[in-house]
Amino acid sequence: MKNIFDTLLLTEIFQGLGITLKHLFKKKVTYKYPFEDTPIFPRFRGVQYIKTHENGATKCVGCYLCQKVCPSECIHIVTDCGPNGERLIRKYELDLSRCIYCGFCEEACPVDAVHMGRNYHTTDSTRDHYVINMKTLSENYKKELADAQAKGEQL
Amino acid sequence: MVTLKIDGIQVEVPKDYTILQAAEKAGVHIPVLCHDSRLNPFGACRVCLIEAVGNPRMMTACTTPVAPDMDILTNTEKLQRIRKTVIELLLVNHPLECPVCDKGGECTLQDLTYEVGLTKVRFDAKPADTPVDHTNPFIERDVDRCVLCGRCVRICDEVVNIQAISFINRGMETMIGTAFDQPWNCEFCGQCISVCPVGSLNNRVYLFKNRPWNLEKTDSVCGLCGCGCYIELETEGSELYRMGELPEKGANHGNLCAKGRFGFEFVNSVKRETSAKVRAAGELADADFDQAVVTVAEKVKSIRAQHGAEAVAVLVSPRLTNEEAFLANKLAKEVIGTGGMYALEPHSSLPEATYADIEKSDAVAVLNIDVTEANPILGLAVRAAARMNEAPLYVFYPSETALKRLAEKQFTGTPDEVYASMTRLVEGQGAEAAVLEVLKKAEKPVAVYNPYNTADLWFVSELKKQVPALKLAAARAKANSQGIVDMGALDAAKLKEGIQNKTIKALLCFGENPAVRTGWADLSLDSLELLAVTDPFMSETAKKASVYIPVATYAEKDGSFTSLEGRVQTVNRALCKGLKTDAEVVAALAARLGGSLPSCSCEVRELIRKEVPLYKEADFDGGVISYPYAVKGEFEKPAKAAAGEGAYFLYPSSLRLHSGSYTRWSPDLAKVYGEPKLEISPADAEALGLGDGDAVSVSAAGITKVFKVHVEKHMTKGCAALPEDYVDTAQIFSKGRYHKVSLGKKG
Ligand code: SF4
Ligand code: SF4
Ligand code: SF4
Ligand code: SF4
Ligand code: SF4
Ligand code: FES
C-alpha cells in the first residue's frame, strides 16, 4: 500500500532531489584542475629541482650517486674535466616520464643538491618534453624558492 | 716454519713472513693503508697496529716479522680505539671532498673511515689549500689529499725504478714531489696512480669522466704490445672509460705502461669509421656490410677462376685474436684454396723465458733492444732481476737506455760498434769475454732480444750455443704477434715477392697496415686487382683499398691473445660499437665463397685444440705454451750493420708511447708524442746548429724526409734515431734498418 503511495506521489524522487539540494549549498570538494590546484601534503614528492649557489652555479657536483640509486634509471649524467681542472657537469638529464617519484635521488645526494619539489604539472603533448635538463632543474629551484618565500616557508 | 696464533686461529707460516701475511693465511682481516703486496714493508701509517699477548707495546702488522708462539690479537677494544684515532688524525689534514674527488668510491681512507665507524672527527680539520697540479699530461696531483703513505714513491723506485718522485721537505711540510720542483719527467706508466690509496694522484685521462660505481668491469688483455698485460676494461654503455689494473691476476702484477693505461681512448674515437666502403669510380663510397662482402667474394671468385687460387693472398695482423687468425687461415686454405695466410711476423724465434724466469734470473743480457721502451712490462721484469735479485745486467744498445742505472755494464756506440761488441760477446773476446763468462757461470741466465732483425738472430743463436742454459725472451712487438704465428701464419717474404712480380692479384688484408711497417712501406700495392682491408680506422693501407670494412678493436671482441711469454690469455668483449669483428668478416666471406666457418670464439677454440698441436692442451686462461725451440734457422753473421755514405748512423728506436699504428689514434698519447721526431745527441745538435723542435732533413737510400729534432742527451754522438711505424720513417727503414745518413738543417 505504502509502495503505491510512494510511487504515485514520487516521494523517492523528491527525497533524492532533496539530497541534491542539500549538497548544492555545501562547501564544494571538486577542484577544477588545471584552473585550480589541489592542496598537497608537506612531504609530497613532485618534480625535482636542483639547488644553486648564490652565484648561480649548480650545487650538484656530478657524483653519479642519484643516477646509480634511481630505480627507474631516469637520470643520465655526463661529467668531464673543466678547463681549470674542475669537475664539470656536461649533462644532467632527468626523464620525468619514467620517474616514479620515489625520492631516492634526493636521499642519495651527498651535497644536498637534488630535491623533490612540489610541482606536479607534468602533462605535455609530446614525450620529448618530459626530459628535463640542469637548466630546467635550476629554474625549478628558483620557482620553488619564490613560492616558499611567498608562503613564508623554508625550502 | 713458524707456528703462531692470530685471534685464536693457529697458523703455520715461513719464518720470513710478516704478521700481516700470517693473518692473511689465517683468514683474519687487518686493515692497511700504506701496505701493498708488491712493495717492501714500510710502516708509515700505523693503521695495521696489532697487539701481542704479553707485550705492552703495539706493533705494525705489515712490518713485524712473525716469531714462534706469538699470540696476536687484531681487534681488541683498545686497538679499535687507537685505529679510530689514527684515522681521525689522518683526516685532520685531508680535505673531505669525497663527492668531488675522483677517488670517491674506491678510496682506502674512505673505506677505513667506514670500517672503523668514524662519524665525527674530534679535531679541527686544517686542510691546506695548495693548488692542484695539472702540468703533467697523465697525472693530476693534489698534494693536500696525500696521506704520505709513500706507496707512489716506493713503486716508482722499487718496481719501475725511475725514482721520479720522492718525499720532499720534512715534518709538517713533507710532501710528494720532484727534486727542486721540476716537472715530472718519467715513464708515465701511472703505476703511482694505481697504488695511491687516496685521491692525491689521479688519472687525468679519466679525470671526472665517470665514477667507479657507475662502470661495468670486464677482465681482458691489453691489445697493444706483446707483453700481454692483464687488465680490466671499465665501461659504461658503449664507451670505454678506464683501464683498471688487477694486481692479483696476470703475469704483469697489475703493472701497466702509458699506452695501456692512458692510450685506450682511440677505442672511443669519433675518427673511427662506421660504414664499409667500396671503391667506385676511383673513390671509396659508403656501402653496407653485405654489399662489401659480396664485392670481395665475387672478385675473389673471378680472380681465382682466371689465375688460380694462389693469386689470392690473405694477410693477418697481430691485432687479430688467435681464433680470428685460425679462421683466416682456414679461409685461405680450405675456402679459397691457397697455401695459407701470411703475417709480417718472424718465425725463427719462439717464446722461452717467462717474466718469472727473468725476475728470478741471476744474469741478464739485453741485446740490441731498448726493452723498457719497446715492451715496458718485459722491461719491468728485467729491472726486477737487476734490482731485487741483484743479477748483473748487460745492455747492448746504440744509446744509453733507461736500464742505465741498473746495468752492470752498457755497451753503447754506433750500430756498427754495438754489433762488433756483440760479436766479441759471442766469440768470447775482448772486454765482452767477461760478460760471456758471467752468463756461462750463471744458473739461470736470460737474454732479451729483438726477433724482428735477422742479424740479431745470429747473435742469439750463437750465444745460445755458447751458453746452453740461456733462456731467451723475444721482444715481440704487438698484442698477438706470437699467436698468429702459432695459428700457422706463413713468412710474408713470399707474399712480398708475389705482389712484386704480380702473381698475386688479390690481397685480403685483415687489420694489417703494411704501408707503415718496416720492410713493407716501399711495396706498391697498386698492381693488385683487389685489396680488401679491415681496420678500425681508415689506415694508410685502407686508403688504398678497393673494399674497406671497419672492424672492432680488442675491447669489442672475444678470443685470446698469446703474449711474448707464450702465455695464452682470454680477451673478453667489454663493449659494442655496432661493428663486426674480423671473425665475423671472415665467416661472412667464407659463406659467400661457398664455405662455412663458425665465428663464435668458443666453437673456434675447440677447433684450435683439435687442429693446432701446440694448443692441444692449452689453458686459454693464462697457461703458457711450451714451444719446441727458442731460435731455429740458419742465420748469416752480419757483416756491417749500416749501409750508405752519410756521416750519421740512423737506427730505428722504440717508443713507449706508441706501439705501431693503433696508438697513434689516441688523442692523449698524441698530446705527448704526436709525430715522429729525430733524436740526436746534444753534441751533434750543436755541430749542426739544431735545437729542439727544429726541422731537419734526413737523406738515406735516395729518400729525403723532414722531421722535427729532439735533442736527447742519452744519444751517442754520431747517431740518430727515428721511431718505426710511421709512414715517413717506414719508408726509410724499408730500405734497411741501419743507415748512414746525412742530416741537414731545414729552413
Ligand atoms: S624520484 Fe626516484 S625514480 Fe625519480 S629520479 Fe629520483 S630516484 Fe629516480
Ligand atoms: S647525487 Fe647530487 S651531487 Fe651527485 S650527481 Fe646527483 S644531484 Fe649531483
Ligand atoms: S708514472 Fe711511473 S715513472 Fe712516473 S712517477 Fe709514476 S710510477 Fe714513477
Ligand atoms: S701521493 Fe698517494 S701514494 Fe703517494 S704518498 Fe701520497 S697518498 Fe701515498
Ligand atoms: S701496451 Fe704492452 S706493456 Fe703496455 S699495458 Fe699494454 S700489454 Fe702492457
Ligand atoms: S699498513 Fe702497516 S703501517 Fe701502514
Side-chain angles (χ1 to χ4, degrees), chain B residues 375-401:
Chain B
N375 297 83
I377 300 302
L378 176 60
L380 288 188
V382 171
R383 283 168 163 159
R387 177 81 200 264
M388 296 298 164
N389 219 16
E390 295 183 10
L393 169 66
Y394 304 98
V395 184
F396 296 81
Y397 193 71
S399 60
E400 284 183 341
T401 69

CSV table of all heavy atoms in Angstrom, one decimal, chain B residues 375-401:
chain,number,residue,atom,x,y,z
B,375,ASN,N,108.9,-2.9,-24.9
B,375,ASN,CA,108.0,-3.8,-24.2
B,375,ASN,C,108.1,-3.5,-22.7
B,375,ASN,O,108.8,-4.1,-21.9
B,375,ASN,CB,108.3,-5.2,-24.4
B,375,ASN,CG,108.2,-5.6,-25.9
B,375,ASN,OD1,109.0,-5.4,-26.7
B,375,ASN,ND2,107.0,-6.2,-26.2
B,376,PRO,N,107.3,-2.4,-22.2
B,376,PRO,CA,107.6,-1.9,-20.9
B,376,PRO,C,107.5,-3.0,-19.7
B,376,PRO,O,108.2,-2.9,-18.8
B,376,PRO,CB,106.5,-0.9,-20.7
B,376,PRO,CG,106.2,-0.4,-22.1
B,376,PRO,CD,106.4,-1.6,-23.0
B,377,ILE,N,106.6,-3.9,-19.9
B,377,ILE,CA,106.4,-4.8,-18.8
B,377,ILE,C,107.5,-5.9,-18.8
B,377,ILE,O,108.0,-6.3,-17.7
B,377,ILE,CB,105.0,-5.5,-18.8
B,377,ILE,CG1,103.9,-4.4,-18.7
B,377,ILE,CG2,104.8,-6.5,-17.7
B,377,ILE,CD1,104.0,-3.5,-17.4
B,378,LEU,N,107.9,-6.3,-19.9
B,378,LEU,CA,109.1,-7.1,-20.0
B,378,LEU,C,110.3,-6.4,-19.4
B,378,LEU,O,111.1,-6.9,-18.7
B,378,LEU,CB,109.4,-7.5,-21.5
B,378,LEU,CG,110.6,-8.3,-21.9
B,378,LEU,CD1,110.6,-9.6,-21.2
B,378,LEU,CD2,110.8,-8.4,-23.4
B,379,GLY,N,110.3,-5.1,-19.7
B,379,GLY,CA,111.4,-4.2,-19.1
B,379,GLY,C,111.3,-4.2,-17.6
B,379,GLY,O,112.4,-4.2,-16.9
B,380,LEU,N,110.1,-4.2,-17.0
B,380,LEU,CA,110.0,-4.3,-15.6
B,380,LEU,C,110.6,-5.6,-15.0
B,380,LEU,O,111.2,-5.6,-13.9
B,380,LEU,CB,108.5,-4.2,-15.1
B,380,LEU,CG,107.9,-2.8,-15.3
B,380,LEU,CD1,106.5,-2.8,-14.6
B,380,LEU,CD2,108.7,-1.7,-14.7
B,381,ALA,N,110.4,-6.7,-15.7
B,381,ALA,CA,110.9,-8.0,-15.3
B,381,ALA,C,112.4,-7.9,-15.3
B,381,ALA,O,113.1,-8.4,-14.3
B,381,ALA,CB,110.4,-9.1,-16.2
B,382,VAL,N,113.0,-7.3,-16.3
B,382,VAL,CA,114.5,-7.1,-16.3
B,382,VAL,C,114.9,-6.3,-15.2
B,382,VAL,O,115.9,-6.6,-14.5
B,382,VAL,CB,114.9,-6.5,-17.7
B,382,VAL,CG1,116.4,-6.1,-17.7
B,382,VAL,CG2,114.6,-7.4,-18.8
B,383,ARG,N,114.2,-5.2,-14.9
B,383,ARG,CA,114.5,-4.3,-13.8
B,383,ARG,C,114.4,-5.1,-12.5
B,383,ARG,O,115.3,-4.9,-11.6
B,383,ARG,CB,113.6,-3.1,-13.8
B,383,ARG,CG,113.9,-2.1,-14.8
B,383,ARG,CD,112.8,-1.1,-14.9
B,383,ARG,NE,113.3,0.1,-15.6
B,383,ARG,CZ,112.5,0.9,-16.2
B,383,ARG,NH1,111.2,0.7,-16.2
B,383,ARG,NH2,113.0,2.0,-16.8
B,384,ALA,N,113.4,-5.9,-12.3
B,384,ALA,CA,113.2,-6.6,-11.1
B,384,ALA,C,114.4,-7.6,-10.9
B,384,ALA,O,114.9,-7.7,-9.7
B,384,ALA,CB,111.9,-7.4,-11.1
B,385,ALA,N,114.9,-8.2,-11.9
B,385,ALA,CA,116.0,-9.1,-11.8
B,385,ALA,C,117.3,-8.3,-11.3
B,385,ALA,O,118.0,-8.8,-10.4
B,385,ALA,CB,116.3,-9.8,-13.1
B,386,ALA,N,117.5,-7.2,-12.0
B,386,ALA,CA,118.7,-6.4,-11.6
B,386,ALA,C,118.6,-5.7,-10.3
B,386,ALA,O,119.5,-5.6,-9.5
B,386,ALA,CB,118.9,-5.4,-12.7
B,387,ARG,N,117.4,-5.3,-9.9
B,387,ARG,CA,117.2,-4.6,-8.7
B,387,ARG,C,117.0,-5.5,-7.5
B,387,ARG,O,117.6,-5.4,-6.5
B,387,ARG,CB,116.0,-3.6,-8.9
B,387,ARG,CG,115.7,-2.8,-7.7
B,387,ARG,CD,116.6,-1.6,-7.6
B,387,ARG,NE,116.6,-1.1,-6.2
B,387,ARG,CZ,115.9,-0.1,-5.8
B,387,ARG,NH1,115.1,0.5,-6.6
B,387,ARG,NH2,115.9,0.3,-4.6
B,388,MET,N,116.0,-6.4,-7.6
B,388,MET,CA,115.6,-7.2,-6.5
B,388,MET,C,116.4,-8.4,-6.3
B,388,MET,O,116.7,-8.9,-5.3
B,388,MET,CB,114.1,-7.6,-6.6
B,388,MET,CG,113.2,-6.4,-6.6
B,388,MET,SD,113.3,-5.5,-5.0
B,388,MET,CE,112.5,-4.0,-5.3
B,389,ASN,N,116.8,-8.9,-7.5
B,389,ASN,CA,117.6,-10.2,-7.5
B,389,ASN,C,119.1,-9.9,-7.6
B,389,ASN,O,119.9,-10.8,-7.5
B,389,ASN,CB,117.2,-11.0,-8.6
B,389,ASN,CG,117.1,-12.5,-8.2
B,389,ASN,OD1,117.1,-12.8,-7.1
B,389,ASN,ND2,117.1,-13.4,-9.2
B,390,GLU,N,119.4,-8.6,-7.8
B,390,GLU,CA,120.8,-8.2,-7.9
B,390,GLU,C,121.6,-9.0,-9.0
B,390,GLU,O,122.8,-9.3,-8.8
B,390,GLU,CB,121.5,-8.2,-6.6
B,390,GLU,CG,120.9,-7.2,-5.6
B,390,GLU,CD,121.6,-7.2,-4.3
B,390,GLU,OE1,122.7,-7.7,-4.2
B,390,GLU,OE2,121.1,-6.5,-3.4
B,391,ALA,N,120.9,-9.3,-10.1
B,391,ALA,CA,121.5,-10.0,-11.2
B,391,ALA,C,122.3,-9.0,-12.0
B,391,ALA,O,121.9,-7.9,-12.2
B,391,ALA,CB,120.5,-10.7,-12.1
B,392,PRO,N,123.6,-9.4,-12.4
B,392,PRO,CA,124.3,-8.5,-13.2
B,392,PRO,C,123.6,-8.3,-14.6
B,392,PRO,O,123.1,-9.3,-15.1
B,392,PRO,CB,125.7,-9.1,-13.4
B,392,PRO,CG,125.5,-10.5,-13.0
B,392,PRO,CD,124.3,-10.6,-12.0
B,393,LEU,N,123.5,-7.1,-15.0
B,393,LEU,CA,122.7,-6.8,-16.2
B,393,LEU,C,123.6,-6.1,-17.3
B,393,LEU,O,124.3,-5.2,-17.0
B,393,LEU,CB,121.5,-5.8,-15.9
B,393,LEU,CG,120.8,-5.2,-17.0
B,393,LEU,CD1,120.0,-6.2,-17.8
B,393,LEU,CD2,119.8,-4.1,-16.4
B,394,TYR,N,123.6,-6.7,-18.5
B,394,TYR,CA,124.5,-6.2,-19.5
B,394,TYR,C,123.6,-5.7,-20.7
B,394,TYR,O,122.7,-6.4,-21.2
B,394,TYR,CB,125.4,-7.2,-20.0
B,394,TYR,CG,126.3,-7.8,-18.9
B,394,TYR,CD1,125.9,-9.0,-18.3
B,394,TYR,CD2,127.4,-7.1,-18.5
B,394,TYR,CE1,126.7,-9.5,-17.2
B,394,TYR,CE2,128.1,-7.5,-17.4
B,394,TYR,CZ,127.8,-8.7,-16.8
B,394,TYR,OH,128.5,-9.2,-15.7
B,395,VAL,N,123.8,-4.4,-21.1
B,395,VAL,CA,122.9,-3.9,-22.1
B,395,VAL,C,123.7,-3.5,-23.3
B,395,VAL,O,124.7,-2.8,-23.2
B,395,VAL,CB,122.2,-2.6,-21.6
B,395,VAL,CG1,121.2,-2.1,-22.6
B,395,VAL,CG2,121.4,-3.0,-20.3
B,396,PHE,N,123.3,-4.1,-24.5
B,396,PHE,CA,123.9,-3.7,-25.7
B,396,PHE,C,122.9,-2.9,-26.5
B,396,PHE,O,121.9,-3.4,-26.9
B,396,PHE,CB,124.3,-5.0,-26.5
B,396,PHE,CG,125.4,-5.8,-25.8
B,396,PHE,CD1,125.0,-6.7,-24.8
B,396,PHE,CD2,126.7,-5.8,-26.2
B,396,PHE,CE1,126.0,-7.5,-24.2
B,396,PHE,CE2,127.7,-6.5,-25.6
B,396,PHE,CZ,127.3,-7.4,-24.5
B,397,TYR,N,123.2,-1.7,-26.7
B,397,TYR,CA,122.3,-0.8,-27.5
B,397,TYR,C,123.0,0.4,-27.9
B,397,TYR,O,123.9,0.9,-27.2
B,397,TYR,CB,121.1,-0.5,-26.6
B,397,TYR,CG,119.9,0.1,-27.4
B,397,TYR,CD1,119.2,-0.7,-28.3
B,397,TYR,CD2,119.6,1.5,-27.3
B,397,TYR,CE1,118.2,-0.2,-29.0
B,397,TYR,CE2,118.6,2.0,-28.1
B,397,TYR,CZ,117.8,1.2,-28.9
B,397,TYR,OH,116.8,1.7,-29.7
B,398,PRO,N,122.7,1.0,-29.1
B,398,PRO,CA,123.5,2.2,-29.5
B,398,PRO,C,123.5,3.3,-28.5
B,398,PRO,O,124.5,3.9,-28.3
B,398,PRO,CB,122.8,2.5,-30.9
B,398,PRO,CG,122.2,1.3,-31.4
B,398,PRO,CD,121.8,0.5,-30.2
B,399,SER,N,122.3,3.6,-27.9
B,399,SER,CA,122.3,4.7,-27.0
B,399,SER,C,122.1,4.2,-25.6
B,399,SER,O,121.9,3.0,-25.4
B,399,SER,CB,121.2,5.7,-27.3
B,399,SER,OG,120.0,5.0,-27.2
B,400,GLU,N,122.3,5.1,-24.6
B,400,GLU,CA,122.0,4.7,-23.2
B,400,GLU,C,120.5,4.6,-23.1
B,400,GLU,O,119.7,5.4,-23.5
B,400,GLU,CB,122.5,5.8,-22.3
B,400,GLU,CG,124.0,5.8,-22.2
B,400,GLU,CD,124.4,6.9,-21.2
B,400,GLU,OE1,123.7,7.8,-20.9
B,400,GLU,OE2,125.6,6.8,-20.7
B,401,THR,N,120.1,3.5,-22.4
B,401,THR,CA,118.7,3.3,-22.2
B,401,THR,C,118.3,3.6,-20.7
B,401,THR,O,119.2,3.8,-19.9
B,401,THR,CB,118.2,1.9,-22.6
B,401,THR,OG1,118.8,1.0,-21.6
B,401,THR,CG2,118.7,1.5,-24.0
